[in-house]
Amino acid sequence: MAPIPGSGLAKGLAVTLRTMTRKTVTEQYPDAQPELPPRTRGVIGLFEENCTVCMLCARECPDWCIYIDSHKETVPPAAPGGRERSRNVLDRFAIDFSLCMYCGICIEVCPFDALFWSPEFEYAETDIRELTHERDKLREWMWTVPAPPALDPGAEEPKELVAARKTAEKLAATQQADQAEQTAQTAQAGRAGQSGQAEQAGSGERAGSGERAPQAEQTQPGEGNA
């Protein structure tokens, strides 16, 4: 069926008329903050305790706007006779937001959950050089990161949580077994102590009766002589 001539124009005019009859709403920014969606891409927050300086975020960044400096430190052995280990220590972590295109690749490729999206967006500067924010500023934005959404009740439990729960259950079972073994050893030691005391008491009674018997034998001849 061929479209009616002018139907497209009529639909467009209908949309225009509906819009004209609506009340105009003006966002009173900055006096009133806008309600941002939960997945807003504002700035990138850094949780530096999780950063292992693997450099994966800097290598995968298409704009090369992440700058990382680090050095190596020697960690003493955890047990006597062990060997020393070396670990990377973060010295600098900066992001140049004048180059960042907010693609989120650095957040997705981070294997240790050290980078997160923060809804903060008020960081305009008069000097473009001030848009390179160091790790102290990135750390401040970390505290505005919203909590992750709740998991679907029907979804499978993450493998990390399953492994952590199994480890915790195994550790709890080991501790309970150790406590039960210690309790059994204590009870056995107590029973052994009681039996030892009983044996000592019995031997004392036998010894006492053995001493009295010779005295009786000695007095009997005396009585006969009398």
Side-chain angles (χ1 to χ4, degrees), residues 1 7 13 17-18 40 56 66 100 123 129 141 143 145 162 164 175-176 178 211 215-216 218 222:
M1 181 178 178
S7 60
L13 291 175
L17 291 174
R18 285 199 304 270
T40 298
L56 191 58
I66 299 177
C100 180
Y123 56 95
R129 292 172 294 184
W141 284 327
W143 307 123
V145 173
V162 175
Q175 292 178 351
Q176 290 178 358
D178 293 341
E211 289 176 356
Q215 291 178 1
Q218 290 175 3

Side-chain angles (χ1 to χ4, degrees), residues 44-169:
I44 299 173
L46 171 66
F47 191 61
E48 60 182 276
E49 283 79 0
N50 288 353
C51 182
T52 61
V53 200
C54 65
M55 305 293 291
L56 191 58
C57 56
R59 290 199 301 267
E60 296 296 330
C61 178
D63 292 331
W64 294 86
C65 63
I66 299 177
Y67 311 111
I68 300 176
D69 293 332
S70 65
H71 70 277
K72 289 185 177 294
E73 284 186 356
T74 302
V75 180
R83 62 171 184 170
E84 296 180 344
R85 297 181 297 108
S86 63
R87 67 183 181 94
N88 294 322
V89 179
L90 184 66
D91 293 329
R92 185 194 182 200
F93 194 107
I95 299 178
D96 187 355
F97 285 99
S98 65
L99 297 177
C100 180
M101 65 180 187
Y102 304 91
C103 63
I105 292 178
C106 58
I107 297 175
E108 294 177 1
V109 301
C110 180
F112 301 105
D113 291 335
L115 299 174
F116 297 87
W117 280 118
S118 170
E120 294 290 333
F121 62 93
E122 297 175 323
Y123 56 95
E125 301 289 347
T126 57
D127 189 350
I128 193 173
R129 292 172 294 184
E130 299 296 330
L131 288 175
T132 301
H133 296 292
E134 301 293 335
R135 65 177 182 174
D136 295 338
K137 187 65 176 179
L138 300 179
R139 179 61 180 264
E140 292 179 6
W141 284 327
M142 183 64 208
W143 307 123
T144 61
V145 173
L151 297 177
D152 187 356
E156 295 182 359
E157 192 174 11
K159 296 180 180 179
E160 295 82 0
L161 295 180
V162 175
R165 188 179 67 254
K166 288 183 179 179
T167 303
E169 291 176 354

Side-chain angles (χ1 to χ4, degrees), residues 214-226:
Q215 291 178 1
E217 293 177 355
Q218 290 175 3
T219 55
Q220 286 177 359
E223 293 176 355
N225 295 329

